[in-house]
Amino acid sequence: MSDIISRPFISEDLPACLSIFDSNVPLFFSPEERAEFNDHLENLDALTTPYIVLVRGDAVVACGGLTVDITRHRASLSWGMVDRASHGQRLGSILTQARLTLARSISGLAEIELSTSQHTHGFYEGFGFVLSTVTPSGFGPGLDRWDMTLKL
């Protein structure tokens, strides 16, 4: 998709990212997670919590980042999402690949972990992530938490 640009998040992207979050409630996110997501975006740090957006034209259509713990040689995929109206257009794959490329560019990282739901675990298995644990209703009623890892 040559019309998609990946770039670092800027503060002006906050409303668009919150809108993307809202478009994915309740199937992929619990409404109670919105305040935590907003707080995450308002307190980003380029070294420990890099965050990127995918842009088509002037519109932010996807967003996601990393949480880096260099002392543990590990990063976590954090808050990845595609606008619901753009599901099925391979944007999730583009976003995930961009975050994996970012993680591989950080010296000292050996593993990436993520927490996802029963609705998206298969997507991440396609990138080589392996299941660690499942916590029933771990994100909220009916939204199971699937913890997964990928060796770099």
Side-chain angles (χ1 to χ4, degrees):
M1 297 185 109
S2 59
D3 63 332
I4 300 296
I5 297 169
S6 172
R7 65 164 171 77
F9 173 91
I10 57 175
S11 60
E12 289 80 8
D13 295 327
L14 180 64
C17 290
L18 290 173
S19 178
I20 291 170
F21 177 92
D22 293 341
S23 77
N24 284 286
V25 172
L27 184 59
F28 299 103
F29 294 102
S30 169
E32 295 79 18
E33 293 178 282
R34 191 178 198 273
E36 182 182 349
F37 178 52
N38 184 76
D39 185 57
H40 180 79
L41 293 178
E42 289 181 344
N43 294 290
L44 292 173
D45 175 275
L47 295 177
T48 59
T49 54
Y51 203 76
I52 59 176
V53 296
L54 297 184
V55 180
R56 177 186 288 139
D58 292 332
V60 174
V61 292
C63 52
L66 298 174
T67 300
V68 177
D69 184 347
I70 205 65
T71 61
R72 293 178 56 222
H73 308 285
R74 179 179 287 180
S76 301
L77 293 185
S78 60
W79 295 110
M81 60 196 79
V82 174
D83 187 89
R84 188 79 180 263
S86 297
H87 284 194
Q89 299 177 21
R90 301 204 32 83
L91 295 175
S93 294
I94 294 168
L95 178 64
T96 300
Q97 194 58 55
R99 294 191 292 165
L100 293 177
T101 298
L102 176 60
R104 289 182 175 113
S105 75
I106 300 171
S107 180
L109 290 182
E111 185 175 69
I112 300 178
E113 59 188 5
L114 68 87
S115 298
T116 191
S117 75
Q118 71 268 30
H119 303 293
T120 53
H121 73 89
F123 170 81
Y124 290 106
E125 287 171 348
F127 285 91
F129 282 87
V130 177
L131 178 64
S132 302
T133 59
V134 175
T135 306
S137 295
F139 287 124
L143 198 56
D144 301 340
R145 177 180 170 144
W146 288 58
D147 292 312
M148 305 179 81
T149 58
L150 172 72
K151 303 284 186 208
L152 293 178

